[in-house]
Amino acid sequence: MRRRWQRVVPAFLAVAVFALPLAALMPAKARADEPLGEQLYKKNDCVTCHAIDHQIVGPSYQDVAKKYAGQKGAVDMLVKAVKDGHVGTWGMVPMPPHPTMSDADIKTIVEWILSLK
Ligand code: HEC
């Protein structure tokens, strides 16, 4: 049987090689009249892999908002998923960890995401 990392590591490398340069090609401008969570989403790497209304590498934020609508503890759980990285809920492509982002910034983005349903 293949071990989990043998599937996860190549997927991670594929994301690193193909998706991350896209961020450099498509700089999204944050505007001051947008919600703070949306501005932070655009200033960080989230925008490389996530769109509001369609899947890119990761799930669309509207799908995330629908999945966790009304769930207790969803904010804390999702902050941890973004901070530590996550795989397996939406498929076998992993989200990389974000150890240098503050919990407060991640929480602001997550609360904005959950408002998009
Ligand atoms: C390299 C691509 C990539 C980047 C960059 C990225 N994500 Fe993700 N994200 C993913 C993938 C893939 C998943 C699905 C993970 C899974 O199936 O558990 C995901 C899942 C999520 C989820 C849902 C997690 C769950 O448990 O259901 C949230 C919320 C999220 N991302 C927010 C963010 C935020 C906020 C940022 C920026 C700070 C970010 N992502 C950056 C790829 C990415």
Side-chain angles (χ1 to χ4, degrees):
M1 205 185 88
R2 300 223 299 166
R3 286 172 191 276
R4 190 173 161 89
W5 65 264
Q6 286 177 304
R7 281 177 290 151
V8 169
V9 169
F12 181 78
L13 290 177
V15 166
V17 169
F18 293 112
L20 297 182
L22 279 177
L25 293 174
M26 307 186 301
K29 284 242 161 57
R31 297 201 328 263
D33 58 342
E34 289 167 343
L36 185 57
E38 185 167 1
Q39 294 179 41
L40 289 171
Y41 147 75
K42 290 181 178 174
K43 275 189 207 149
N44 289 284
D45 66 348
C46 328
V47 74
T48 318
C49 295
H50 293 282
I52 293 176
D53 61 358
H54 61 274
Q55 184 186 352
I56 307 179
V57 178
S60 88
Y61 281 162
Q62 285 175 344
D63 285 347
V64 174
K66 272 186 214 137
K67 180 174 176 67
Y68 298 104
Q71 270 189 41
K72 257 182 106 182
V75 171
D76 288 348
M77 191 274 283
L78 293 175
V79 169
K80 195 173 163 4
V82 174
K83 185 108 181 180
D84 299 345
H86 206 268
V87 67
T89 304
W90 299 87
M92 286 316 297
V93 182
M95 170 160 59
H98 295 84
T100 58
M101 282 181 73
S102 74
D103 285 7
D105 278 1
I106 298 175
K107 190 170 182 212
T108 303
I109 303 176
V110 164
E111 284 172 345
W112 167 71
I113 294 170
L114 293 178
S115 76
L116 295 171
K117 59 181 182 297

